[in-house]
Every structure is written in C-alpha cells, then in structure tokens.
Amino acid sequence: MSGDYLFYLWGSYGVTFLLLFLEIFFLLKRKREAKT
Amino acid sequence: MKWFWYASPQTFYPLAGRMAPWFAAAAALLCIAGLYVGLVVAPSDAQQGEVYRVIYIHVPAAWMSMFIYVVMAGWAAFGLAFNTRLSGMMASALAPTGALFAAIALWTGSLWGRPTWGTYWVWDARLTSELILLFLYLGFIALQAAIDDPRRADRAGALLAIVGAVNIPIIHYSVVWWNTLHQGASVSVTRAPTMAAQMLTGLLLMAFAFWMYAIAVTLVRVRCIIREREG
C-alpha cells in the first residue's frame, strides 16, 4: 500500500491502536492499585 | 441465568472476572480478521483509492461511541429508578471507553476528511453533534469525579447521561435532517448494502471487534470500581 495517503491512513490506525493500548495500560495499572 | 443474583456487585465481581478474558480474546481474533480483510482482501475504492480504508476504524468507532452512550444512559436510568448500586458502577465503567471511541471517530474522520473533502474540520451537523457527544462523556466523567460520595455522584451523572441521550438520534439523523458535508449512513438495516461484500465484511468484523473490546475493558473497569468502592 503506498501513495500520498499514507499519513492519513496510518495516522488513523496508529493513533487508534495507541489510544486503545493506553486505555488497556492505565486500566491494568488501576486494577493493580485496586488490589493493593 | 440468575439475573437478580448477579445484580449485586459482590456476585457480579467474579462473573465479570470470568467473562472478561473471553471477550478480550474474541476482540483480538475479530480485530486480526477485520484488519486482514480491510487492509489486504478488500479492494481499493474506485474514487478514494486507499484512503477509504480509514472507514474500518472510523465507522465502527462512531457506531460504538453512540451505542455505548445508549447503554450507559440505560444503566444510569435503571440505577436512578431502582437505586441499584451496580447500575451506577456500570455507567461509570462505560464512560471512558465511550469517550475514547468518540475521540477516535473524530480523529479518524478528520484524517479522512482532509484528502477527500479538502479540510480536517467543518462545523457540519454530524461532526458537531459527535463532538458534543465527546463533551457529554467528558462532562459525565468530570461530574462524577467532582462528587466525593459515589452514590450521589451516580445520581448526578445519571441525570446528565439521560438528558444527553437526546443527542444520539440527533447524531444519527443529522445527515438526513440537515444538508451536511458528511455522507449518509454507510450501512443500513433497511436497504441492501451499496459497498463491495469484502468491504462490508471488514467493516462488520471491526465493529464486532470494537464491541467485544468495549465489553472486555468495561468488565475489568467495573471490577476495579467494585473493589475501590466496596473493598
């Protein structure tokens, strides 16, 4: 996949999965803190 | 299934713990399948080329942002009517994920809009009402965080969630009621699909992946809330 649209396409996918990863990261952190 | 038995936070806690890994696994598998179909199998769009593939993220995220709000407002209303502790906890657990999907829908829509419309943003009815949805989520989270007593926070949040639910039909019908730059509905249950079968398959797989993801993280979060509130 190539072309002028790489920024828009991968900017969408990259940020989406980064945000989902961050939600999981902070949720697991909260889970650890809730257990202590 | 003993529905009323599981209405208690103490009995729902272990059930949520058992269900969350299954929903997480389903989300991962559906996401892999959806990304494969959307990015590899589905053909390019005749007019938009490759950039149309943003829809595999954008459309499911937008659907989930609205669906989660309806579920959140439903739990909140149930809690307000029947004074059940778990309802407020579920509404609180849903809000951050709903806000996340609203933000993703706005972000990806903006990145799709630039190459196709020529602009990242317009104050169009669909975009503006989706932005208001994000603000409603953030307002709900902030309102609950500002009140120390969790039960009072649940009641205050519930009122906001119920009143804000009026925005959901506005988002959905905005492209019908107003002359918007945003296109009409991508998929409808009342008419045959207008896109290629592979495109629709990828879209639905990603929608189900996001749905399973939302359930998994909500179950984990509600377990945290139960522990934080009730030890």
Side-chain angles (χ1 to χ4, degrees):
Chain A
M1 210 179 292
S2 61
D4 301 331
Y5 299 126
L6 283 176
F7 167 74
Y8 305 109
L9 193 54
W10 296 114
S12 297
Y13 279 82
V15 170
T16 296
F17 285 101
L18 175 68
L19 289 175
L20 296 183
F21 171 79
L22 285 175
E23 183 182 29
I24 293 168
F25 175 79
F26 286 113
L27 188 57
L28 294 178
K29 184 169 174 279
R30 183 177 178 180
K31 186 182 169 185
R32 280 195 300 275
E33 287 168 358
K35 278 190 174 171
T36 54
Chain B
M1 189 138 182
K2 296 180 282 186
W3 293 106
F4 291 107
W5 171 259
Y6 288 115
S8 157
Q10 277 71 30
T11 48
F12 186 71
Y13 183 88
L15 177 69
R18 285 196 299 275
M19 289 193 301
W22 291 100
F23 283 107
L29 290 174
L30 285 164
C31 189
I32 291 166
L35 288 176
Y36 177 73
V37 173
L39 298 179
V40 179
V41 177
S44 297
D45 185 77
Q47 290 181 320
Q48 298 178 33
E50 301 295 348
V51 79
Y52 95 92
R53 294 183 199 275
V54 172
I55 68 162
Y56 298 113
I57 296 285
H58 172 70
V59 175
W63 284 347
M64 287 311 300
S65 70
M66 291 188 285
F67 179 66
I68 290 174
Y69 194 93
V70 171
V71 176
M72 184 184 88
W75 276 113
F78 195 85
L80 206 58
F82 298 104
N83 205 24
T84 47
R85 302 199 311 283
L86 185 63
S87 306
M89 293 175 184
M90 285 300 294
S92 302
L94 283 160
T97 305
L100 183 70
F101 279 122
I104 289 171
L106 288 165
W107 173 261
T108 55
S110 183
L111 283 181
W112 177 80
R114 182 72 182 89
T116 52
W117 297 343
T119 181
Y120 285 107
W121 183 263
V122 283
W123 292 101
D124 162 284
R126 171 60 69 85
L127 279 66
T128 307
S129 53
E130 182 71 20
L131 181 65
I132 290 170
L133 181 68
L134 176 62
F135 291 157
L136 282 168
Y137 275 123
L138 297 179
F140 178 87
I141 295 166
L143 182 62
Q144 286 212 315
I147 301 172
D148 290 333
D149 178 13
R151 302 302 300 278
R152 288 188 63 217
D154 283 346
R155 283 195 291 276
L159 286 174
L160 177 62
I162 293 164
V163 172
V166 73
N167 190 42
I168 299 299
I170 293 175
I171 297 173
H172 183 72
Y173 290 108
S174 57
V175 290
V176 179
W177 291 342
W178 292 287
N179 185 20
T180 60
L181 190 55
H182 194 284
Q183 69 194 64
S186 304
V187 179
S188 170
V189 290
T190 57
R191 58 180 162 77
T194 53
M195 64 176 75
Q198 299 101 316
M199 293 180 181
L200 182 63
T201 305
L203 198 61
L204 293 178
L205 282 169
M206 288 305 291
F208 282 116
F210 281 2
W211 192 5
M212 297 299 111
Y213 169 86
I215 295 173
V217 293
T218 300
L219 289 173
V220 174
R221 189 175 291 114
V222 81
R223 274 167 62 87
C224 295
I225 294 171
I226 292 170
R227 267 194 170 272
E228 288 160 1
R229 288 193 189 179
E230 309 204 352

